[in-house]
Amino acid sequence: MKIKIKYFSDKISPLEYIGGKSDWIDLRSAEDAVLKKGEFRLIRLGVGMELPKGYEAHVVPRSSTFKNWGLLQTNSYGVIDESYCGENDEWMVPVYATRDTEIHINDRICQFRIMEHQPAIEFEKVEALSGPDRGGFGSTGKC
């Protein structure tokens, strides 16, 4: 699959897909950012893409993002669909700082993967479900 990509910054490393090692592709900060504890900010990622019809990008933090910078992605899980592909549609990640922190240009702060859209679904209303009762939400793992 080929995807058209526009770089909004020449200071970040080009994206690289490492097949076989990981399906996720790292995204880098396209700006230096100083955040104080409790601050919110949209961090520029320096890229925009034309995703194929029927596909979307799922953007999540890297496993080291919180450890290294104390950042939480405020929407927990970002979805960028194929309609977000205009000339000025730069990808960003919304973050909340849990401590004073500094991000530098080219720091790998999040990651994404390309996924097909969910298939069409039709809901059927029923009076009862046929599976075994597991005890409700949060009950898994109880002895």
Side-chain angles (χ1 to χ4, degrees):
M1 173 183 299
K2 285 193 179 191
I3 296 176
K4 292 181 182 178
I5 183 168
K6 175 183 176 178
Y7 287 93
F8 289 84
S9 170
D10 60 358
K11 295 179 181 174
I12 60 171
S13 299
L15 295 188
E16 184 179 3
Y17 175 70
I18 306 170
K21 187 174 180 186
S22 174
D23 284 343
W24 293 86
I25 302 163
D26 290 337
L27 291 164
R28 299 169 182 271
S29 176
E31 61 184 324
D32 290 326
V34 176
L35 288 93
K36 298 289 183 198
K37 180 180 179 177
E39 283 188 323
F40 165 83
R41 182 159 177 174
L42 285 171
I43 303 294
R44 294 180 44 240
L45 299 173
V47 297
M49 297 181 210
E50 282 188 30
L51 300 177
K53 185 171 174 49
Y55 286 84
E56 61 197 23
H58 296 178
V59 180
V60 300
R62 297 181 75 242
S63 60
S64 61
T65 300
F66 185 79
K67 175 182 66 90
N68 291 342
W69 296 285
L71 296 175
L72 297 173
Q73 186 173 330
T74 59
N75 59 350
S76 300
Y77 186 97
V79 178
I80 300 172
D81 67 30
E82 78 267 18
S83 70
Y84 191 71
C85 62
E87 186 59 23
N88 295 304
D89 290 339
E90 180 177 3
W91 290 16
M92 297 186 186
V93 63
V95 296
Y96 175 82
T98 63
R99 64 175 187 254
D100 292 355
T101 192
E102 242 179 83
I103 300 164
H104 300 287
I105 292 173
N106 220 34
D107 282 344
R108 296 180 299 156
I109 60 171
C110 57
Q111 59 190 339
F112 79 101
R113 70 183 306 170
I114 305 298
M115 301 293 295
E116 280 190 89
H117 286 213
Q118 179 169 287
I121 294 174
E122 181 180 326
F123 292 100
E124 175 186 355
K125 184 177 177 181
V126 297
E127 294 300 318
L129 300 174
S130 60
D133 189 341
R134 293 180 43 186
F137 186 82
S139 62
T140 302
K142 283 187 176 179
C143 296

mmCIF file of all heavy atoms in Angstrom, residues 71-119:
data_model
loop_
_atom_site.group_PDB
_atom_site.id
_atom_site.type_symbol
_atom_site.label_atom_id
_atom_site.label_comp_id
_atom_site.label_asym_id
_atom_site.label_seq_id
_atom_site.Cartn_x
_atom_site.Cartn_y
_atom_site.Cartn_z
ATOM 1 N N LEU A 71 3.466 12.616 29.939
ATOM 2 C CA LEU A 71 2.354 13.071 29.101
ATOM 3 C C LEU A 71 1.287 12.006 28.964
ATOM 4 O O LEU A 71 1.587 10.821 28.804
ATOM 5 C CB LEU A 71 2.860 13.439 27.698
ATOM 6 C CG LEU A 71 3.834 14.596 27.609
ATOM 7 C CD1 LEU A 71 4.344 14.753 26.175
ATOM 8 C CD2 LEU A 71 3.206 15.889 28.101
ATOM 9 N N LEU A 72 0.045 12.443 29.005
ATOM 10 C CA LEU A 72 -1.104 11.601 28.697
ATOM 11 C C LEU A 72 -1.751 12.139 27.435
ATOM 12 O O LEU A 72 -1.896 13.362 27.283
ATOM 13 C CB LEU A 72 -2.130 11.641 29.832
ATOM 14 C CG LEU A 72 -1.668 11.104 31.179
ATOM 15 C CD1 LEU A 72 -2.731 11.364 32.232
ATOM 16 C CD2 LEU A 72 -1.355 9.620 31.095
ATOM 17 N N GLN A 73 -2.132 11.270 26.527
ATOM 18 C CA GLN A 73 -2.875 11.682 25.331
ATOM 19 C C GLN A 73 -4.312 11.895 25.771
ATOM 20 O O GLN A 73 -4.969 10.966 26.226
ATOM 21 C CB GLN A 73 -2.764 10.620 24.237
ATOM 22 C CG GLN A 73 -3.397 11.046 22.929
ATOM 23 C CD GLN A 73 -3.126 10.058 21.804
ATOM 24 O OE1 GLN A 73 -2.104 9.390 21.791
ATOM 25 N NE2 GLN A 73 -4.045 9.986 20.859
ATOM 26 N N THR A 74 -4.811 13.120 25.635
ATOM 27 C CA THR A 74 -6.090 13.468 26.253
ATOM 28 C C THR A 74 -7.284 12.763 25.637
ATOM 29 O O THR A 74 -8.288 12.569 26.312
ATOM 30 C CB THR A 74 -6.331 14.981 26.225
ATOM 31 O OG1 THR A 74 -6.328 15.431 24.873
ATOM 32 C CG2 THR A 74 -5.276 15.709 27.026
ATOM 33 N N ASN A 75 -7.218 12.397 24.379
ATOM 34 C CA ASN A 75 -8.334 11.652 23.793
ATOM 35 C C ASN A 75 -8.088 10.150 23.871
ATOM 36 O O ASN A 75 -8.836 9.378 23.294
ATOM 37 C CB ASN A 75 -8.614 12.098 22.354
ATOM 38 C CG ASN A 75 -7.423 11.923 21.433
ATOM 39 O OD1 ASN A 75 -6.307 11.631 21.866
ATOM 40 N ND2 ASN A 75 -7.638 12.105 20.145
ATOM 41 N N SER A 76 -7.057 9.741 24.578
ATOM 42 C CA SER A 76 -6.677 8.347 24.814
ATOM 43 C C SER A 76 -6.313 7.599 23.549
ATOM 44 O O SER A 76 -5.376 6.816 23.539
ATOM 45 C CB SER A 76 -7.783 7.581 25.546
ATOM 46 O OG SER A 76 -8.052 8.181 26.779
ATOM 47 N N TYR A 77 -7.067 7.854 22.494
ATOM 48 C CA TYR A 77 -6.890 7.094 21.262
ATOM 49 C C TYR A 77 -7.386 7.996 20.138
ATOM 50 O O TYR A 77 -8.574 8.311 20.088
ATOM 51 C CB TYR A 77 -7.761 5.844 21.388
ATOM 52 C CG TYR A 77 -7.651 4.819 20.292
ATOM 53 C CD1 TYR A 77 -6.838 3.714 20.456
ATOM 54 C CD2 TYR A 77 -8.392 4.930 19.126
ATOM 55 C CE1 TYR A 77 -6.773 2.739 19.480
ATOM 56 C CE2 TYR A 77 -8.324 3.961 18.145
ATOM 57 C CZ TYR A 77 -7.512 2.864 18.332
ATOM 58 O OH TYR A 77 -7.434 1.901 17.371
ATOM 59 N N GLY A 78 -6.503 8.437 19.284
ATOM 60 C CA GLY A 78 -6.913 9.335 18.207
ATOM 61 C C GLY A 78 -7.230 8.585 16.928
ATOM 62 O O GLY A 78 -6.562 7.606 16.597
ATOM 63 N N VAL A 79 -8.250 9.042 16.234
ATOM 64 C CA VAL A 79 -8.617 8.461 14.945
ATOM 65 C C VAL A 79 -8.576 9.562 13.900
ATOM 66 O O VAL A 79 -9.211 10.602 14.049
ATOM 67 C CB VAL A 79 -10.032 7.830 14.982
ATOM 68 C CG1 VAL A 79 -10.413 7.284 13.611
ATOM 69 C CG2 VAL A 79 -10.097 6.736 16.036
ATOM 70 N N ILE A 80 -7.811 9.332 12.838
ATOM 71 C CA ILE A 80 -7.723 10.263 11.713
ATOM 72 C C ILE A 80 -8.274 9.531 10.499
ATOM 73 O O ILE A 80 -7.705 8.519 10.070
ATOM 74 C CB ILE A 80 -6.275 10.718 11.464
ATOM 75 C CG1 ILE A 80 -5.725 11.422 12.718
ATOM 76 C CG2 ILE A 80 -6.200 11.624 10.240
ATOM 77 C CD1 ILE A 80 -4.249 11.750 12.663
ATOM 78 N N ASP A 81 -9.398 10.013 9.968
ATOM 79 C CA ASP A 81 -9.986 9.306 8.827
ATOM 80 C C ASP A 81 -9.461 9.883 7.510
ATOM 81 O O ASP A 81 -8.737 10.866 7.485
ATOM 82 C CB ASP A 81 -11.517 9.288 8.885
ATOM 83 C CG ASP A 81 -12.150 10.654 8.721
ATOM 84 O OD1 ASP A 81 -11.577 11.526 8.029
ATOM 85 O OD2 ASP A 81 -13.233 10.858 9.281
ATOM 86 N N GLU A 82 -9.852 9.232 6.423
ATOM 87 C CA GLU A 82 -9.297 9.596 5.109
ATOM 88 C C GLU A 82 -9.752 10.963 4.622
ATOM 89 O O GLU A 82 -9.180 11.503 3.675
ATOM 90 C CB GLU A 82 -9.592 8.519 4.066
ATOM 91 C CG GLU A 82 -10.995 8.530 3.501
ATOM 92 C CD GLU A 82 -11.966 7.627 4.236
ATOM 93 O OE1 GLU A 82 -11.699 7.236 5.370
ATOM 94 O OE2 GLU A 82 -13.019 7.321 3.658
ATOM 95 N N SER A 83 -10.737 11.576 5.272
ATOM 96 C CA SER A 83 -11.182 12.908 4.836
ATOM 97 C C SER A 83 -10.263 14.014 5.355
ATOM 98 O O SER A 83 -10.307 15.137 4.870
ATOM 99 C CB SER A 83 -12.622 13.177 5.290
ATOM 100 O OG SER A 83 -12.678 13.347 6.698
ATOM 101 N N TYR A 84 -9.403 13.714 6.322
ATOM 102 C CA TYR A 84 -8.471 14.704 6.884
ATOM 103 C C TYR A 84 -7.198 14.683 6.044
ATOM 104 O O TYR A 84 -6.190 14.081 6.404
ATOM 105 C CB TYR A 84 -8.176 14.373 8.347
ATOM 106 C CG TYR A 84 -7.440 15.463 9.094
ATOM 107 C CD1 TYR A 84 -8.070 16.646 9.437
ATOM 108 C CD2 TYR A 84 -6.115 15.299 9.469
ATOM 109 C CE1 TYR A 84 -7.410 17.643 10.128
ATOM 110 C CE2 TYR A 84 -5.441 16.283 10.164
ATOM 111 C CZ TYR A 84 -6.096 17.441 10.496
ATOM 112 O OH TYR A 84 -5.427 18.432 11.186
ATOM 113 N N CYS A 85 -7.262 15.290 4.866
ATOM 114 C CA CYS A 85 -6.143 15.178 3.920
ATOM 115 C C CYS A 85 -5.920 16.453 3.130
ATOM 116 O O CYS A 85 -5.362 16.425 2.036
ATOM 117 C CB CYS A 85 -6.370 13.991 2.983
ATOM 118 S SG CYS A 85 -7.862 14.148 1.972
ATOM 119 N N GLY A 86 -6.350 17.592 3.678
ATOM 120 C CA GLY A 86 -6.172 18.860 2.977
ATOM 121 C C GLY A 86 -4.762 19.405 3.100
ATOM 122 O O GLY A 86 -3.939 18.899 3.878
ATOM 123 N N GLU A 87 -4.499 20.449 2.365
ATOM 124 C CA GLU A 87 -3.175 21.053 2.302
ATOM 125 C C GLU A 87 -2.651 21.483 3.669
ATOM 126 O O GLU A 87 -1.453 21.469 3.918
ATOM 127 C CB GLU A 87 -3.204 22.245 1.341
ATOM 128 C CG GLU A 87 -1.877 22.884 1.067
ATOM 129 C CD GLU A 87 -0.821 21.947 0.464
ATOM 130 O OE1 GLU A 87 -1.187 20.918 -0.142
ATOM 131 O OE2 GLU A 87 0.372 22.249 0.613
ATOM 132 N N ASN A 88 -3.527 21.860 4.585
ATOM 133 C CA ASN A 88 -3.109 22.323 5.914
ATOM 134 C C ASN A 88 -3.483 21.354 7.032
ATOM 135 O O ASN A 88 -3.437 21.719 8.211
ATOM 136 C CB ASN A 88 -3.721 23.697 6.203
ATOM 137 C CG ASN A 88 -3.181 24.746 5.261
ATOM 138 O OD1 ASN A 88 -1.982 24.944 5.165
ATOM 139 N ND2 ASN A 88 -4.071 25.383 4.527
ATOM 140 N N ASP A 89 -3.847 20.120 6.700
ATOM 141 C CA ASP A 89 -4.291 19.148 7.695
ATOM 142 C C ASP A 89 -3.109 18.381 8.296
ATOM 143 O O ASP A 89 -2.915 17.181 8.065
ATOM 144 C CB ASP A 89 -5.317 18.186 7.095
ATOM 145 C CG ASP A 89 -6.638 18.867 6.802
ATOM 146 O OD1 ASP A 89 -6.911 19.930 7.402
ATOM 147 O OD2 ASP A 89 -7.402 18.342 5.973
ATOM 148 N N GLU A 90 -2.334 19.101 9.102
ATOM 149 C CA GLU A 90 -1.185 18.491 9.782
ATOM 150 C C GLU A 90 -1.680 17.660 10.968
ATOM 151 O O GLU A 90 -2.548 18.093 11.718
ATOM 152 C CB GLU A 90 -0.238 19.577 10.290
ATOM 153 C CG GLU A 90 0.970 19.033 11.011
ATOM 154 C CD GLU A 90 1.952 20.109 11.450
ATOM 155 O OE1 GLU A 90 1.669 21.317 11.247
ATOM 156 O OE2 GLU A 90 3.009 19.753 11.999
ATOM 157 N N TRP A 91 -1.116 16.488 11.131
ATOM 158 C CA TRP A 91 -1.461 15.640 12.263
ATOM 159 C C TRP A 91 -0.893 16.250 13.545
ATOM 160 O O TRP A 91 0.208 16.814 13.551
ATOM 161 C CB TRP A 91 -0.907 14.242 12.089
ATOM 162 C CG TRP A 91 -1.570 13.435 11.014
ATOM 163 C CD1 TRP A 91 -2.374 13.889 10.004
ATOM 164 C CD2 TRP A 91 -1.464 12.032 10.828
ATOM 165 N NE1 TRP A 91 -2.777 12.850 9.210
ATOM 166 C CE2 TRP A 91 -2.234 11.692 9.694
ATOM 167 C CE3 TRP A 91 -0.796 11.028 11.510
ATOM 168 C CZ2 TRP A 91 -2.353 10.385 9.244
ATOM 169 C CZ3 TRP A 91 -0.903 9.729 11.050
ATOM 170 C CH2 TRP A 91 -1.684 9.414 9.931
ATOM 171 N N MET A 92 -1.670 16.144 14.615
ATOM 172 C CA MET A 92 -1.246 16.615 15.934
ATOM 173 C C MET A 92 -1.683 15.601 16.972
ATOM 174 O O MET A 92 -2.554 14.778 16.714
ATOM 175 C CB MET A 92 -1.868 17.980 16.239
ATOM 176 C CG MET A 92 -1.443 19.062 15.289
ATOM 177 S SD MET A 92 -2.072 20.644 15.830
ATOM 178 C CE MET A 92 -1.563 21.663 14.455
ATOM 179 N N VAL A 93 -1.079 15.701 18.145
ATOM 180 C CA VAL A 93 -1.486 14.844 19.261
ATOM 181 C C VAL A 93 -1.806 15.752 20.442
ATOM 182 O O VAL A 93 -1.012 16.622 20.798
ATOM 183 C CB VAL A 93 -0.417 13.786 19.601
ATOM 184 C CG1 VAL A 93 0.887 14.404 20.058
ATOM 185 C CG2 VAL A 93 -0.941 12.787 20.610
ATOM 186 N N PRO A 94 -3.006 15.586 21.040
ATOM 187 C CA PRO A 94 -3.363 16.393 22.204
ATOM 188 C C PRO A 94 -2.797 15.754 23.475
ATOM 189 O O PRO A 94 -3.037 14.572 23.747
ATOM 190 C CB PRO A 94 -4.896 16.352 22.197
ATOM 191 C CG PRO A 94 -5.229 15.041 21.546
ATOM 192 C CD PRO A 94 -4.124 14.749 20.580
ATOM 193 N N VAL A 95 -2.027 16.530 24.248
ATOM 194 C CA VAL A 95 -1.394 15.967 25.437
ATOM 195 C C VAL A 95 -1.677 16.814 26.677
ATOM 196 O O VAL A 95 -1.912 18.020 26.586
ATOM 197 C CB VAL A 95 0.129 15.806 25.261
ATOM 198 C CG1 VAL A 95 0.453 14.809 24.149
ATOM 199 C CG2 VAL A 95 0.815 17.126 25.013
ATOM 200 N N TYR A 96 -1.610 16.153 27.827
ATOM 201 C CA TYR A 96 -1.757 16.777 29.135
ATOM 202 C C TYR A 96 -0.516 16.416 29.937
ATOM 203 O O TYR A 96 -0.156 15.228 30.033
ATOM 204 C CB TYR A 96 -3.021 16.243 29.824
ATOM 205 C CG TYR A 96 -3.201 16.744 31.235
ATOM 206 C CD1 TYR A 96 -3.758 17.997 31.482
ATOM 207 C CD2 TYR A 96 -2.821 15.958 32.324
ATOM 208 C CE1 TYR A 96 -3.925 18.455 32.772
ATOM 209 C CE2 TYR A 96 -2.988 16.405 33.620
ATOM 210 C CZ TYR A 96 -3.535 17.658 33.840
ATOM 211 O OH TYR A 96 -3.694 18.123 35.125
ATOM 212 N N ALA A 97 0.147 17.411 30.510
ATOM 213 C CA ALA A 97 1.376 17.178 31.271
ATOM 214 C C ALA A 97 1.055 16.897 32.733
ATOM 215 O O ALA A 97 0.404 17.710 33.390
ATOM 216 C CB ALA A 97 2.300 18.381 31.155
ATOM 217 N N THR A 98 1.520 15.762 33.236
ATOM 218 C CA THR A 98 1.324 15.425 34.646
ATOM 219 C C THR A 98 2.483 15.928 35.504
ATOM 220 O O THR A 98 2.442 15.820 36.725
ATOM 221 C CB THR A 98 1.179 13.905 34.844
ATOM 222 O OG1 THR A 98 2.393 13.269 34.437
ATOM 223 C CG2 THR A 98 -0.007 13.368 34.047
ATOM 224 N N ARG A 99 3.522 16.448 34.849
ATOM 225 C CA ARG A 99 4.667 17.059 35.535
ATOM 226 C C ARG A 99 5.292 18.069 34.581
ATOM 227 O O ARG A 99 4.984 18.070 33.391
ATOM 228 C CB ARG A 99 5.678 15.995 35.957
ATOM 229 C CG ARG A 99 6.316 15.267 34.785
ATOM 230 C CD ARG A 99 7.398 14.304 35.265
ATOM 231 N NE ARG A 99 8.123 13.717 34.175
ATOM 232 C CZ ARG A 99 7.997 12.468 33.766
ATOM 233 N NH1 ARG A 99 7.147 11.653 34.357
ATOM 234 N NH2 ARG A 99 8.718 12.015 32.764
ATOM 235 N N ASP A 100 6.133 18.943 35.064
ATOM 236 C CA ASP A 100 6.867 19.852 34.183
ATOM 237 C C ASP A 100 7.713 18.999 33.238
ATOM 238 O O ASP A 100 8.356 18.032 33.674
ATOM 239 C CB ASP A 100 7.782 20.780 34.984
ATOM 240 C CG ASP A 100 7.024 21.791 35.839
ATOM 241 O OD1 ASP A 100 5.788 21.845 35.750
ATOM 242 O OD2 ASP A 100 7.693 22.541 36.576
ATOM 243 N N THR A 101 7.690 19.349 31.957
ATOM 244 C CA THR A 101 8.399 18.518 30.987
ATOM 245 C C THR A 101 8.803 19.335 29.767
ATOM 246 O O THR A 101 8.280 20.429 29.536
ATOM 247 C CB THR A 101 7.526 17.305 30.571
ATOM 248 O OG1 THR A 101 8.327 16.372 29.849
ATOM 249 C CG2 THR A 101 6.334 17.719 29.730
ATOM 250 N N GLU A 102 9.737 18.804 29.016
ATOM 251 C CA GLU A 102 10.225 19.427 27.787
ATOM 252 C C GLU A 102 10.273 18.393 26.680
ATOM 253 O O GLU A 102 10.822 17.310 26.860
ATOM 254 C CB GLU A 102 11.652 19.952 28.014
ATOM 255 C CG GLU A 102 11.782 21.431 27.864
ATOM 256 C CD GLU A 102 13.213 21.880 28.127
ATOM 257 O OE1 GLU A 102 14.036 21.793 27.180
ATOM 258 O OE2 GLU A 102 13.465 22.302 29.258
ATOM 259 N N ILE A 103 9.717 18.749 25.544
ATOM 260 C CA ILE A 103 9.757 17.888 24.357
ATOM 261 C C ILE A 103 10.601 18.614 23.325
ATOM 262 O O ILE A 103 10.501 19.833 23.184
ATOM 263 C CB ILE A 103 8.336 17.659 23.804
ATOM 264 C CG1 ILE A 103 7.462 16.994 24.855
ATOM 265 C CG2 ILE A 103 8.377 16.818 22.531
ATOM 266 C CD1 ILE A 103 5.996 17.076 24.540
ATOM 267 N N HIS A 104 11.400 17.871 22.615
ATOM 268 C CA HIS A 104 12.265 18.474 21.601
ATOM 269 C C HIS A 104 11.864 17.999 20.204
ATOM 270 O O HIS A 104 11.283 16.925 20.053
ATOM 271 C CB HIS A 104 13.728 18.125 21.886
ATOM 272 C CG HIS A 104 14.182 18.623 23.211
ATOM 273 N ND1 HIS A 104 14.422 19.943 23.472
ATOM 274 C CD2 HIS A 104 14.380 17.966 24.383
ATOM 275 C CE1 HIS A 104 14.778 20.093 24.727
ATOM 276 N NE2 HIS A 104 14.761 18.908 25.309
ATOM 277 N N ILE A 105 12.193 18.797 19.230
ATOM 278 C CA ILE A 105 11.948 18.418 17.838
ATOM 279 C C ILE A 105 12.577 17.051 17.588
ATOM 280 O O ILE A 105 13.710 16.802 17.986
ATOM 281 C CB ILE A 105 12.525 19.462 16.861
ATOM 282 C CG1 ILE A 105 11.734 20.760 16.965
ATOM 283 C CG2 ILE A 105 12.524 18.955 15.422
ATOM 284 C CD1 ILE A 105 12.317 21.912 16.162
ATOM 285 N N ASN A 106 11.820 16.177 16.964
ATOM 286 C CA ASN A 106 12.233 14.836 16.557
ATOM 287 C C ASN A 106 12.100 13.790 17.661
ATOM 288 O O ASN A 106 12.420 12.631 17.438
ATOM 289 C CB ASN A 106 13.644 14.817 15.960
ATOM 290 C CG ASN A 106 13.730 13.895 14.769
ATOM 291 O OD1 ASN A 106 12.790 13.749 13.996
ATOM 292 N ND2 ASN A 106 14.866 13.248 14.612
ATOM 293 N N ASP A 107 11.620 14.177 18.864
ATOM 294 C CA ASP A 107 11.344 13.179 19.895
ATOM 295 C C ASP A 107 10.180 12.304 19.430
ATOM 296 O O ASP A 107 9.172 12.813 18.938
ATOM 297 C CB ASP A 107 10.965 13.840 21.226
ATOM 298 C CG ASP A 107 12.156 14.373 21.996
ATOM 299 O OD1 ASP A 107 13.304 13.985 21.689
ATOM 300 O OD2 ASP A 107 11.930 15.176 22.935
ATOM 301 N N ARG A 108 10.313 11.006 19.602
ATOM 302 C CA ARG A 108 9.242 10.068 19.237
ATOM 303 C C ARG A 108 8.219 10.043 20.373
ATOM 304 O O ARG A 108 8.470 9.443 21.410
ATOM 305 C CB ARG A 108 9.818 8.679 18.976
ATOM 306 C CG ARG A 108 10.754 8.661 17.778
ATOM 307 C CD ARG A 108 11.333 7.294 17.519
ATOM 308 N NE ARG A 108 12.106 6.852 18.673
ATOM 309 C CZ ARG A 108 12.361 5.581 18.967
ATOM 310 N NH1 ARG A 108 11.903 4.613 18.186
ATOM 311 N NH2 ARG A 108 13.072 5.261 20.017
ATOM 312 N N ILE A 109 7.072 10.698 20.172
ATOM 313 C CA ILE A 109 6.118 10.860 21.266
ATOM 314 C C ILE A 109 4.833 10.040 21.116
ATOM 315 O O ILE A 109 4.086 9.901 22.073
ATOM 316 C CB ILE A 109 5.772 12.343 21.500
ATOM 317 C CG1 ILE A 109 5.151 12.980 20.259
ATOM 318 C CG2 ILE A 109 6.993 13.110 21.958
ATOM 319 C CD1 ILE A 109 4.609 14.364 20.496
ATOM 320 N N CYS A 110 4.560 9.551 19.929
ATOM 321 C CA CYS A 110 3.375 8.715 19.738
ATOM 322 C C CYS A 110 3.601 7.808 18.532
ATOM 323 O O CYS A 110 4.667 7.839 17.916
ATOM 324 C CB CYS A 110 2.096 9.555 19.601
ATOM 325 S SG CYS A 110 2.095 10.758 18.279
ATOM 326 N N GLN A 111 2.594 7.014 18.212
ATOM 327 C CA GLN A 111 2.715 6.046 17.117
ATOM 328 C C GLN A 111 1.353 5.859 16.464
ATOM 329 O O GLN A 111 0.335 6.215 17.043
ATOM 330 C CB GLN A 111 3.259 4.719 17.633
ATOM 331 C CG GLN A 111 2.391 4.090 18.708
ATOM 332 C CD GLN A 111 3.056 2.908 19.388
ATOM 333 O OE1 GLN A 111 3.963 2.292 18.862
ATOM 334 N NE2 GLN A 111 2.579 2.570 20.574
ATOM 335 N N PHE A 112 1.363 5.316 15.249
ATOM 336 C CA PHE A 112 0.096 5.080 14.562
ATOM 337 C C PHE A 112 0.165 3.811 13.743
ATOM 338 O O PHE A 112 1.235 3.275 13.479
ATOM 339 C CB PHE A 112 -0.278 6.274 13.667
ATOM 340 C CG PHE A 112 0.452 6.321 12.348
ATOM 341 C CD1 PHE A 112 -0.160 5.896 11.179
ATOM 342 C CD2 PHE A 112 1.758 6.793 12.267
ATOM 343 C CE1 PHE A 112 0.502 5.939 9.956
ATOM 344 C CE2 PHE A 112 2.428 6.848 11.059
ATOM 345 C CZ PHE A 112 1.796 6.419 9.902
ATOM 346 N N ARG A 113 -1.013 3.361 13.343
ATOM 347 C CA ARG A 113 -1.134 2.277 12.384
ATOM 348 C C ARG A 113 -2.340 2.572 11.510
ATOM 349 O O ARG A 113 -3.254 3.282 11.912
ATOM 350 C CB ARG A 113 -1.226 0.918 13.065
ATOM 351 C CG ARG A 113 -2.529 0.677 13.797
ATOM 352 C CD ARG A 113 -2.575 -0.639 14.525
ATOM 353 N NE ARG A 113 -2.267 -1.717 13.609
ATOM 354 C CZ ARG A 113 -2.041 -2.964 13.986
ATOM 355 N NH1 ARG A 113 -2.110 -3.291 15.256
ATOM 356 N NH2 ARG A 113 -1.782 -3.900 13.115
ATOM 357 N N ILE A 114 -2.369 2.010 10.319
ATOM 358 C CA ILE A 114 -3.461 2.190 9.369
ATOM 359 C C ILE A 114 -4.389 0.986 9.476
ATOM 360 O O ILE A 114 -3.938 -0.159 9.451
ATOM 361 C CB ILE A 114 -2.925 2.304 7.922
ATOM 362 C CG1 ILE A 114 -1.883 3.423 7.812
ATOM 363 C CG2 ILE A 114 -4.071 2.505 6.930
ATOM 364 C CD1 ILE A 114 -2.386 4.793 8.116
ATOM 365 N N MET A 115 -5.692 1.268 9.590
ATOM 366 C CA MET A 115 -6.681 0.208 9.761
ATOM 367 C C MET A 115 -7.835 0.425 8.791
ATOM 368 O O MET A 115 -8.180 1.566 8.480
ATOM 369 C CB MET A 115 -7.238 0.222 11.183
ATOM 370 C CG MET A 115 -6.192 0.049 12.270
ATOM 371 S SD MET A 115 -5.434 -1.572 12.292
ATOM 372 C CE MET A 115 -6.816 -2.592 12.717
ATOM 373 N N GLU A 116 -8.445 -0.675 8.374
ATOM 374 C CA GLU A 116 -9.657 -0.571 7.565
ATOM 375 C C GLU A 116 -10.799 -0.084 8.438
ATOM 376 O O GLU A 116 -10.837 -0.359 9.641
ATOM 377 C CB GLU A 116 -10.035 -1.931 6.974
ATOM 378 C CG GLU A 116 -9.239 -2.286 5.744
ATOM 379 C CD GLU A 116 -9.805 -3.517 5.070
ATOM 380 O OE1 GLU A 116 -10.697 -3.357 4.212
ATOM 381 O OE2 GLU A 116 -9.349 -4.617 5.412
ATOM 382 N N HIS A 117 -11.736 0.639 7.819
ATOM 383 C CA HIS A 117 -12.930 1.054 8.538
ATOM 384 C C HIS A 117 -13.711 -0.167 9.002
ATOM 385 O O HIS A 117 -13.620 -1.243 8.411
ATOM 386 C CB HIS A 117 -13.846 1.875 7.617
ATOM 387 C CG HIS A 117 -13.342 3.251 7.351
ATOM 388 N ND1 HIS A 117 -14.178 4.308 7.161
ATOM 389 C CD2 HIS A 117 -12.096 3.764 7.235
ATOM 390 C CE1 HIS A 117 -13.482 5.403 6.928
ATOM 391 N NE2 HIS A 117 -12.213 5.087 6.965
ATOM 392 N N GLN A 118 -14.485 0.032 10.020
ATOM 393 C CA GLN A 118 -15.360 -1.027 10.524
ATOM 394 C C GLN A 118 -16.383 -1.384 9.451
ATOM 395 O O GLN A 118 -16.895 -0.496 8.767
ATOM 396 C CB GLN A 118 -16.074 -0.518 11.779
ATOM 397 C CG GLN A 118 -17.026 -1.498 12.389
ATOM 398 C CD GLN A 118 -17.479 -1.022 13.749
ATOM 399 O OE1 GLN A 118 -16.715 -1.068 14.691
ATOM 400 N NE2 GLN A 118 -18.707 -0.567 13.846
ATOM 401 N N PRO A 119 -16.700 -2.660 9.301
ATOM 402 C CA PRO A 119 -17.722 -3.028 8.310
ATOM 403 C C PRO A 119 -19.097 -2.518 8.736
ATOM 404 O O PRO A 119 -19.320 -2.208 9.912
ATOM 405 C CB PRO A 119 -17.682 -4.561 8.303
ATOM 406 C CG PRO A 119 -17.106 -4.933 9.624
ATOM 407 C CD PRO A 119 -16.173 -3.816 10.013
#
